[in-house]
Amino acid sequence: MEIPFLDTDRLTAYARMLACVTGGDPVLKIVLRDENMELPRELPGKNQVSQWQALAPGLESRSDENNNVQIRCGIELGSEQTPAWLIMNLNNCQAGNLPFGNGALNAIYLIKKLIMEDFKQRQTLDGMAHELAIRYEELNAIYGLESITQCFTDDNFDEHKALRMLCDSCLDYLRVDLINIIVPSEKLAITHIVDDASIRKLDKLQRYLQHELFRKFQDSNQTWVINRHEVTDWVGHDFEIPYKMIISPITSTDNRVIGMFVLVNNPTRPDFTNSDRKLGDVLATETSNILIRKLDNLTGLLNRHGFESRLINAIENRKNTGQDYCLININVDQFRIINNTVGFSGGDKLLREIAQILQDEIPAMSVIARTGADEFSILLECKTNHATVLSENIMRTLSERPHIHKKSLFNVNLSIGILNLQDDMLVPRNVLTALEITCKSAKSLGGNRIRVYDPRDSDLIDERTMLSDANMIRKAIHKNNFILFAQEIVPLNHS
């Protein structure tokens, strides 16, 4: 098999160099060497082609009945030292009169050396060009991914839609059969199948990725490239996955591995490359950035948008399965006074402490969010009595813990509202409004107490009416709907 050279003109120039010392018009070519296969006949003579004979160290020759001579020289090409033959064809040589003295032999050895150096240089240049192309692809990928998040504002940000757009953009740079985004703590598992014919036993693969594989991967905090070679550690694992994969870590704000961005290919596909790994890292980082958009910067909890998204999912689940849900709204009493007393840094420290207490007290699979400056919200799978017990424990834990900031000691009380999600209240905005009204009612009664939402409660009805009236007035002012009928005119100087 003939292989491409750096430049055919270069081979022609070497042939002319050889012609200067041998005479005639030699032709040079390079073919891959296979010890188990004889070179194809390249001499014009159809009969009487002689066997290869030693001509000089590293050189062999053979001829046909028309006095055409073929000379071969073994060479190793590139960093892989690929074995090949340098073939020289000389036509119409007189029998037994090969034009090869010391000058010709030295010229062949020099050409051999130059060809190997040229091939190595070509490999280096090709590698540099490939690396530049990769960098260009990575930059395109980064700029392309930035446009995904720019499609959304904070008010209309759709996490799942953004992640699916991310999967679609991935296909512009990588040819893969399956894309998986898995974040167990967020109950997030997005599967993007490109070629379902190439991926068999998908359910089994999904279960393994989400459970056993994630447990193994979570402690590594580095990208895995699995190309099904014996040199990988994968061979020793209990479960054999017959696919090639790139697994990149999705991390939280504190750099913990919370998920995986997985690219899967059928084993018949070409191996994943280092550039594929880097693009996988770019995609995993962008996934992390998308998830971070629903987190509160101060506490690391979900923000209001993230909480509303989880509430929507809970409402859908309630409709489909009848699952019980309770919501808890927590407001820090007199937080403005605390801020004025110990400063904003002290207030921030307190909010982080409350966030930690909530994470310690609330069941692991519940949803906890910071939904306002001094406000936290919780979504639980339980009934009202259990939510009340949890709220009492939170108030007790917070009240028993001394809060000190720069030698200032202060107590912290909470106002808490609890709402049981009912079938007649399954509109997210109405649910959150009723929950906040219940918490404000507890605060207006002096704070440091718990109130449970009851649509028949007169205090809550009055609070809701006042809130509705206030919103109506604000909207009217914003839309310039007020009509001025009279305005008293008074002098600026009463004297």
Side-chain angles (χ1 to χ4, degrees), residues 9 28 32 85 134 136 146 186 227 233 245 260 272 275-277 289 345 348 356 362 365 371 430 434 469 475:
D9 292 339
L28 298 181
L32 289 178
W85 294 112
I134 293 168
Y136 180 74
E146 286 180 351
E186 300 288 327
N227 278 324
D233 294 333
M245 290 188 288
M260 308 182 298
F272 284 116
S275 65
D276 296 334
R277 179 189 64 79
N289 292 338
S345 61
D348 289 347
Q356 188 58 56
I362 300 299
M365 298 308 292
T371 49
N430 294 345
D469 291 346
K475 287 181 180 179

Side-chain angles (χ1 to χ4, degrees), residues 411-422:
N411 295 322
V412 178
N413 296 320
L414 302 176
S415 296
I416 297 180
I418 299 174
L419 182 145
N420 180 244
L421 200 59
Q422 299 293 329

